[in-house]
Amino acid sequence: MSRTEEEWGHIARYLRHAANKIGPDLPLCLPGEPRECGQTAQQHVLLWASDLKARGHHLIEESAPSHDEAAYYAGPVYKDKLTLLRDSSERRSA
């Protein structure tokens, strides 16, 4: 996907904010990110999205009353949501 550095930066900030809402004790990136830590805004998006995905999965595991229910929400429900997002993205780009 083609985005400007500024657009990637906005997405990275949103992802970091979401991750901080789910899990405490997350360090905020340095002022002036992403350049101060040496990574691009797109790399920040990928890192924070990975962190958010892991935190979401962990939250499912901790919240589900059983292993089977956790597997259901982390598996079929997740895949259905992902399919809807991909379909929506394809319709917008067509």
Side-chain angles (χ1 to χ4, degrees):
M1 177 169 282
S2 178
R3 297 186 194 272
T4 66
E5 185 73 4
E6 185 177 332
E7 289 170 326
W8 284 118
H10 287 298
I11 295 167
R13 282 187 288 283
Y14 294 143
L15 289 166
R16 182 187 66 225
H17 182 71
N20 274 295
K21 290 289 186 181
I22 293 174
D25 304 323
L26 291 178
L28 296 176
C29 290
L30 297 170
E33 74 166 355
R35 289 169 204 84
E36 288 192 28
C37 70
Q39 294 184 336
T40 67
Q42 185 177 13
Q43 287 171 312
H44 275 74
V45 167
L46 296 171
L47 290 167
W48 282 110
S50 296
D51 184 271
L52 190 57
K53 182 178 178 180
R55 288 178 182 278
H57 191 101
H58 184 67
L59 188 58
I60 289 170
E61 291 175 345
E62 286 187 330
S63 302
S66 70
H67 175 73
D68 288 344
E69 209 161 339
Y72 170 72
Y73 283 97
V77 172
Y78 169 81
K79 288 177 185 175
D80 288 346
K81 301 277 185 190
L82 184 57
T83 298
L84 290 172
L85 289 170
R86 286 175 176 160
D87 291 346
S88 174
S89 290
E90 287 175 11
R91 283 193 299 273
R92 283 194 309 261
S93 64

